[in-house]
Amino acid sequence: MKSGIHPDYHMIKVQMTDGTVFETRSTWGKEGDTLALEIDPTSHPAWTGGKAQLQDGGRVAQFNKRFGGLTLKKD
């Protein structure tokens, strides 16, 4: 490997949403920093099997709200 072109690879702590902490190596932050996760496998519906959040203001919902009443009329 060339010297001086790679980021520093060091130990950090990762704090899950339930409070558990584990150590891993990363290029994030500095040696000994703690990365607090907002979403992780213990809380995200994709991993827990819970109900997914629906987007009320998604692109399809916006389209249907704007053009939902239009129909194709044949004379």
Side-chain angles (χ1 to χ4, degrees), residues 4-59:
I5 65 168
H6 298 283
D8 181 36
Y9 195 57
H10 48 270
M11 295 297 290
I12 65 165
K13 294 178 183 176
V14 178
Q15 181 177 5
M16 307 284 268
T17 56
D18 64 356
T20 58
V21 177
F22 67 92
E23 287 190 15
T24 187
R25 293 177 53 94
S26 176
T27 58
W28 180 86
K30 296 179 182 155
E31 179 82 26
D33 282 353
T34 301
L35 175 63
L37 299 178
E38 295 177 6
I39 297 175
D40 62 19
T42 61
S43 65
H44 195 277
W47 288 286
T48 61
K51 184 177 178 184
Q53 295 177 351
L54 300 176
Q55 285 187 355
D56 293 331
R59 303 294 288 168

Side-chain angles (χ1 to χ4, degrees), residues 1-2 18 22 32 65:
M1 291 190 333
K2 290 184 179 179
D18 64 356
F22 67 92
K65 182 178 176 184

Side-chain angles (χ1 to χ4, degrees), residues 54-68:
L54 300 176
Q55 285 187 355
D56 293 331
R59 303 294 288 168
V60 173
Q62 289 176 2
F63 179 85
N64 287 336
K65 182 178 176 184
R66 188 169 180 187
F67 300 108

